[in-house]
Amino acid sequence: MQILELSRQTVEDFLFLEAELIDSQRFEEWHALFTPDGRYFVPLTDNEDTVHQAAIVNDDPLRLEERVYHLARVPFPSQSPRSRTLHLVTNVRIRPSGEGPGNTMTVVSNQLIVEMRVGDFRQVGLGEQRSFAAEVEHQLQPQGDALKIAMKTVRLLNRGGPVSNLTFLL
Amino acid sequence: MASSKSPIQGVGSGGDPQELVLRGPHTFRVHTRAYSDPAIFDLEMERIFGRTWVYVGHESEIPQPGNYKTAHIGLQPVIVARDDKGGINVFYNRCRHRGSVVCREPRGFANNFRCPYHGWIYGKDGRLLGVSMRDGYPSDFQQPEGLQKVPCVDSYRGLIFARAVAEGPSLVEQLGLAATWIDRRVNMSPVGEIELVAEPYVVEYRGNWKFMIENIIDEYHFAFVHEPFNKLQERYGDSTGDYGAHVSGSAKDMNQRRQAGRLSWGGVGGHGLGERRVSDEQLDSLLAGEDGDYYQGLLEKYRREELARMVGGGSVMTHPNVGMIHRQIRVVRPLAVDRTEVTIYPYELKGAPEADNQGWLRSQERFYGPAGYGMPDDVEMFALNQQGLAAQAVDWLILERGLDREQVTENGDRFAPVGGETPLRALWVEWLKLMSRAD
Ligand code: FES
Ligand SMILES: [Fe+2]
């Protein structure tokens, strides 16, 4: 596969697939979309510095593995009951080649991630729809016939503000 | 249990805080209403946040004249600002004209503060420098001096506190034993200073503010709330960047290490303190390790026993609103009886090895952020707590763990083996003291 020849439709199909895997809670299949050195990054600050700034998520490959293991295999209070999510993916833009490193393509989309925890909806925090708007950047690489994610960055609109429980996948 | 002999019963609907904490030789219980009654919350704002030293910021956030940051004393918005002489003033963030907020940014630099409404101008020290269209006022117009100052401001090791009333103990007196704990953390810097460099995490939860301050020094919830995290530690240990902040290894190992060298203290003044020390072997391996020079440097300044405690890094919750745990300052801000904001400021040790500051930052990122493996589970508990209290037919919460194992020092500070609720009881004793003073 030649990365430079990919149409927006191919790229969109890929983003839709990724969203579907998250929304149907197929976390390990989602993980498999990443390259072996793939990263998942949700910055807290505008400058996206990781030397002196803490991030919301700053996953190198091992931390990403840990996150997926945690979500898929270890029940924990803030995901008991679990979040349901629905991703709306729109405004897909393919950045001119040369902006990303090597054989990668940078794709930016606007996403609205709607989240709700199931369970007894009379209880605080359950049955309540919350929405998170974000600019999402994917660095995509071809691997054989498939596309893989080398880096996913989620720039939340409300980064830095008060936000609780983002323990689901964005 | 002995406490069953105590006269535990419901309290009247009157507003007397004395009725809300039940104390006896084998009894320590807190009434539901102490967490859930809006009238009690209002009284807390007046008698606790309105009267005692409250943390408002750190000196490193406002290093230069003209630097400011906003904060709150209870529900009241304030500005913490550095004046031209380098002094720190705290004033209410409220224009003396008709009350608009003067400062809209969380922190920054300003030559002066200009009210957005009608343009009154205040200096770095809060002094009123200019009244717009001054000629329209009567000739004998009594112009305010400036933004209203909070009467008492002091800092300890860089932590700035303010008190809304003039009378009361000095900050150091108020801190008591907590000062030693703050020292131990700040002294980990070769130059004895910490710096708030990273932007903080801010989280809001729907529960009473006291759930957070109790939790910081509740050493035994870890085995339950954070059991899932322990599973990650078993599998990943330090490989994903815990940086030794938490114990790792087998579940049994972890449980053992959570007991070793640990005590729970309740300090006079309402401070909860967790005492920890690293073992001699751990200390030796640090002294001989990669950052050996750094640790050797500390050993030249502090006794070995003290260094073992410093490195152990016990947590401290100073009454009523600031804690230090791991490498963070945690600020608790009450919003309503059932709503609280928590701000977590990771800090760096000035002069410590870069890798050490980095390691700790990564570690806190993994545990404390809104997508981390610790904090979201804690705040989940606080919301559950608040909801549970809606069952008001049940009167009392029980805080009696370790009561019979407590020892008292000559200063009145108490300690017990780790996991006792001694630190929590200290918070409540201070709460009771402040809440009972009607003047
Ligand atoms: S309210 Fe500030 S100038 Fe009028
Ligand atoms: Fe916790």
Side-chain angles (χ1 to χ4, degrees), chain B residues 215 221 226 378:
Chain B
N215 172 268
H221 78 286
H226 303 302
D378 283 314

Side-chain angles (χ1 to χ4, degrees), chain B residues 13-15 33 36-46 337 435:
Chain B
S13 55
R33 281 179 44 215
S36 66
D37 185 340
I40 293 295
F41 179 82
D42 292 345
L43 209 58
E44 288 175 339
M45 293 306 103
E46 188 188 314
V337 69
M435 290 289 277

Side-chain angles (χ1 to χ4, degrees), chain B residues 95 97-100 115 117-120:
Chain B
C95 179
H97 180 217
R98 272 160 48 198
S100 164
C115 177
Y117 202 171
H118 315 93
W120 285 26

Side-chain angles (χ1 to χ4, degrees), chain B residues 167-189:
Chain B
E167 297 297 309
S170 71
L171 176 59
V172 173
E173 274 174 78
Q174 174 62 31
L175 288 174
L177 193 57
T180 307
W181 259 253
I182 297 172
D183 288 343
R184 283 182 184 150
R185 309 196 135 264
V186 179
N187 288 345
M188 285 299 290
S189 149

Side-chain angles (χ1 to χ4, degrees), chain B residues 118-370:
Chain B
H118 315 93
W120 285 26
I121 291 172
Y122 304 90
K124 296 185 186 82
D125 57 358
R127 225 156 21 95
L128 179 56
L129 299 179
V131 171
S132 316
M133 296 181 270
R134 180 77 174 75
D135 54 357
Y137 287 88
S139 55
D140 61 349
F141 171 54
Q142 301 220 337
Q143 183 176 310
E145 225 171 88
L147 295 170
Q148 187 162 314
K149 273 190 182 164
V150 177
C152 294
V153 181
D154 200 357
S155 53
Y156 187 78
R157 303 304 303 268
L159 282 76
I160 309 165
F161 293 80
R163 189 178 61 208
V165 291
E167 297 297 309
S170 71
L171 176 59
V172 173
E173 274 174 78
Q174 174 62 31
L175 288 174
L177 193 57
T180 307
W181 259 253
I182 297 172
D183 288 343
R184 283 182 184 150
R185 309 196 135 264
V186 179
N187 288 345
M188 285 299 290
S189 149
V191 295
E193 276 179 53
I194 61 171
E195 286 181 297
L196 273 55
V197 180
E199 293 291 318
Y201 292 122
V202 187
V203 58
E204 249 183 58
Y205 67 84
R206 278 181 279 173
N208 189 264
W209 62 281
K210 298 186 289 305
F211 288 132
M212 177 77 259
I213 71 169
E214 290 178 337
N215 172 268
I216 295 190
I217 28 80
D218 175 339
E219 305 244 18
Y220 81 111
H221 78 286
F222 212 97
F224 306 97
V225 176
H226 303 302
E227 196 195 357
F229 175 75
N230 284 341
K231 293 226 169 76
L232 295 185
Q233 285 301 89
E234 258 181 272
R235 191 180 171 99
Y236 292 95
D238 258 349
S239 67
T240 47
D242 180 61
Y243 208 70
H246 299 92
V247 296
S248 56
S250 72
K252 199 171 145 236
D253 246 31
M254 286 192 272
N255 267 337
Q256 255 171 20
R257 286 179 52 201
R258 287 218 171 81
Q259 308 294 322
R262 296 192 179 192
L263 289 173
S264 293
W265 286 81
V268 172
H271 313 302
L273 312 163
E275 177 169 321
R276 299 182 183 183
R277 101 184 265 298
V278 292
S279 68
D280 292 322
E281 304 83 77
Q282 283 171 288
L283 193 57
D284 284 335
S285 81
L286 289 170
L287 286 161
E290 217 168 296
D291 292 331
D293 289 351
Y294 160 61
Y295 288 103
Q296 289 289 352
L298 294 174
L299 190 57
E300 281 165 28
K301 289 167 76 179
Y302 307 103
R303 287 178 303 116
R304 200 182 147 88
E305 183 55 30
E306 177 66 4
L307 185 57
R309 292 206 162 86
M310 286 160 57
V311 176
S315 40
V316 43
M317 178 64 226
T318 70
H319 186 86
N321 74 326
V322 64
M324 291 175 89
I325 181 170
H326 290 151
R327 292 275 177 86
Q328 70 185 245
I329 288 180
R330 192 181 303 178
V331 185
V332 181
R333 176 160 88 94
L335 301 171
V337 69
D338 56 357
R339 224 154 51 79
T340 307
E341 175 195 272
V342 182
T343 308
I344 293 172
Y345 295 89
Y347 65 76
E348 295 186 8
L349 295 174
K350 201 168 170 182
E354 177 73 18
D356 184 80
N357 279 324
Q358 277 280 311
W360 277 96
L361 188 64
R362 295 283 83 82
S363 169
Q364 303 198 90
E365 194 172 61
R366 176 167 169 260
F367 195 82
Y368 290 106

